Amino acid sequence: MESKRQQKFAGVIQQDLAGIFQREGMNYLPHTMVTITKVRVTPDLAIARVFLSFFNNTDNAQSLQTVKSHASEIRYKLGARIKDQVRVIPQLEFFVDDTSEYVERMDKIFDKISKEDRQPDTEEN
């Protein structure tokens, strides 16, 4: 369970990272829209785990590697934005948020189940 402090700090990071990716994301990943879906912060606020979702993209793994290779630059830009609000700029760890893929997969499964012929209930004698 995250504390209110962690949640508030995660929200600040998410908002500022979203601005960074919105303005400068094309430098890292041209023709790809990057969305920060959630941020989780450790209790000591030293590490921020950032979950990303990529749109208009064919290879999420390659995009994640590209973002990870620019992590220090992104952290620097984040630090410039939040330096007056925090003591230490957290290390950034990036992950792919596959929630939308999971939802699509579950929708397909439910569609398949609903299209199958239903077995009639056994009659009680």
Side-chain angles (χ1 to χ4, degrees):
M1 184 73 181
E2 287 186 337
S3 68
K4 291 281 187 195
R5 183 174 178 226
Q6 285 172 279
Q7 291 173 355
K8 185 176 178 182
F9 189 56
V12 168
I13 291 173
Q14 183 172 0
Q15 192 172 26
D16 287 327
L17 281 177
I20 291 169
F21 278 105
Q22 185 178 14
R23 288 186 185 83
E24 302 171 27
M26 291 298 167
N27 298 335
Y28 310 129
L29 297 165
H31 311 295
T32 301
M33 186 174 110
V34 180
T35 304
I36 290 87
T37 55
K38 62 184 164 190
V39 176
R40 298 283 184 243
V41 181
T42 58
D44 63 355
L45 307 180
I47 300 172
R49 293 181 178 94
V50 181
F51 293 85
L52 305 173
S53 182
F54 301 101
F55 297 99
N56 196 21
N57 183 23
T58 56
D59 188 9
N60 285 348
Q62 179 64 38
S63 296
L64 181 63
Q65 278 306 115
T66 303
V67 170
K68 284 182 177 181
S69 69
H70 290 92
S72 61
E73 182 183 343
I74 294 168
R75 181 175 181 243
Y76 177 80
K77 290 177 181 180
L78 176 66
R81 288 172 170 244
I82 67 172
K83 69 179 185 276
D84 297 330
Q85 302 171 31
V86 297
R87 252 185 269 155
V88 177
I89 308 303
Q91 291 292 324
L92 300 176
E93 296 178 355
F94 294 101
F95 301 93
V96 173
D97 185 9
D98 58 355
T99 305
S100 60
E101 294 170 11
Y102 177 76
V103 169
E104 278 182 38
R105 201 167 45 237
M106 294 306 290
D107 282 343
K108 287 179 184 176
I109 290 171
F110 288 133
D111 286 344
K112 183 178 176 183
I113 290 171
S114 68
K115 289 179 183 175
E116 289 179 356
D117 290 336
R118 296 217 167 197
Q119 299 293 328
D121 291 338
T122 57
E123 293 181 22
E124 295 179 21
N125 289 330

